[in-house]
């Protein structure tokens, strides 16, 4: 399975990092080795001094698909969650300045937190969900899927033009504003609506 991540999908986050608004969805991929194992802490890697949290809504693909039309995209996932795309921001900036890919900054071991899954049938509309991240009990990120530049079904349509989606693949749909550096002993807790779906410690 693979983790397909969408960058620059919230206007406020684009402004936060002084990026340009994309014409098309920005896509990058994390390998399955990036997944932080359940009940394990996140260890800040020794090659970065500026790792940021990025909370995101996730969807899990439930059948194989290629060239999926947006009107059928809802049939390709039943489960939804929240997670973190950890980013070594200093490494990413160095790579961007040289026009190089981001993988070393985005896809290292442990760089993807995946929360507990919930059936999307629990929610009236996946395009109108609230999600958030608390760091040490302080609300640091608060997003709404209604603010996405590209909605979930649009993302599935676009991604499937380039990559065959397979059972178990996970799509990270982008982060809102509020990203910031994590420090040892931080505790990060993610919510979808009022449901806590993950809690991790930083080491």
């Amino acid at each position: 399975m693979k983790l397909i991540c969408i960058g620059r999908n919230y206007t406020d986050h684009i402004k936060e990092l002084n990026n340009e608004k994309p014409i098309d969805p920005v896509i990058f991929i994390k390998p399955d080795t990036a997944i932080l194992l359940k009940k394990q802490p996140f260890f800040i890697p020794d090659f970065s001094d500026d790792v940021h949290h990025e909370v995101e809504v996730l969807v899990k693909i439930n059948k194989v698909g290629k060239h999926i039309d947006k009107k059928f995209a809802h049939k390709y996932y039943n489960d939804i969650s929240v997670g973190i795309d950890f980013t070594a921001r200093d490494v990413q900036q160095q790579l961007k300045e040289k026009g190089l890919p981001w993988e070393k900054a985005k896809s290292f071991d442990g760089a993807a937190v995946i929360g507990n899954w919930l059936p999307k049938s629990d929610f009236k509309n996946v395009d109108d969900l609230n999600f958030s991240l608390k760091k040490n009990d302080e609300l640091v990120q608060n997003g709404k899927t209604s603010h996405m530049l590209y909605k979930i079904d649009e993302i599935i349509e676009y991604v499937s033009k380039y990559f065959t989606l397979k059972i178990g693949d996970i799509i990270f749909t982008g982060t809102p504003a509020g990203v910031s550096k994590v420090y040892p002993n931080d505790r990060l807790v993610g919510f979808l609506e009022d449901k806590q779906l993950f809690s991790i410690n930083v080491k």
Side-chain angles (χ1 to χ4, degrees), residues 115-129:
N116 297 325
W117 294 100
L118 296 173
K120 70 178 181 184
S121 57
D122 282 1
F123 308 98
K124 291 181 179 179
N125 182 2
V126 297
D127 292 330
D128 190 22
L129 296 174

Side-chain angles (χ1 to χ4, degrees), residues 93-172:
Q93 187 59 37
Q94 293 166 11
L95 294 168
K96 287 168 66 176
E97 288 173 355
K98 296 177 181 178
L100 297 174
W102 299 351
E103 274 74 10
K104 288 191 291 184
K106 288 277 194 180
S107 304
F108 55 88
D109 290 355
V113 174
I114 297 171
N116 297 325
W117 294 100
L118 296 173
K120 70 178 181 184
S121 57
D122 282 1
F123 308 98
K124 291 181 179 179
N125 182 2
V126 297
D127 292 330
D128 190 22
L129 296 174
N130 298 301
F131 63 104
S132 60
L133 181 74
K134 288 185 177 181
K135 179 164 65 173
N136 306 325
D137 296 322
E138 177 186 354
L139 183 65
V140 289
Q141 288 191 267
N142 189 24
K144 298 177 181 294
T145 56
S146 59
H147 293 169
M148 286 181 175
L149 297 177
Y150 302 99
K151 302 297 191 287
I152 292 171
D153 291 353
E154 293 175 300
I155 291 169
I156 290 173
E157 178 182 56
Y158 186 81
V159 167
S160 69
K161 292 179 183 178
Y162 301 92
F163 311 108
T164 297
L165 295 176
K166 302 183 77 173
I167 296 170
D169 286 351
I170 296 171
I171 297 178
F172 282 62

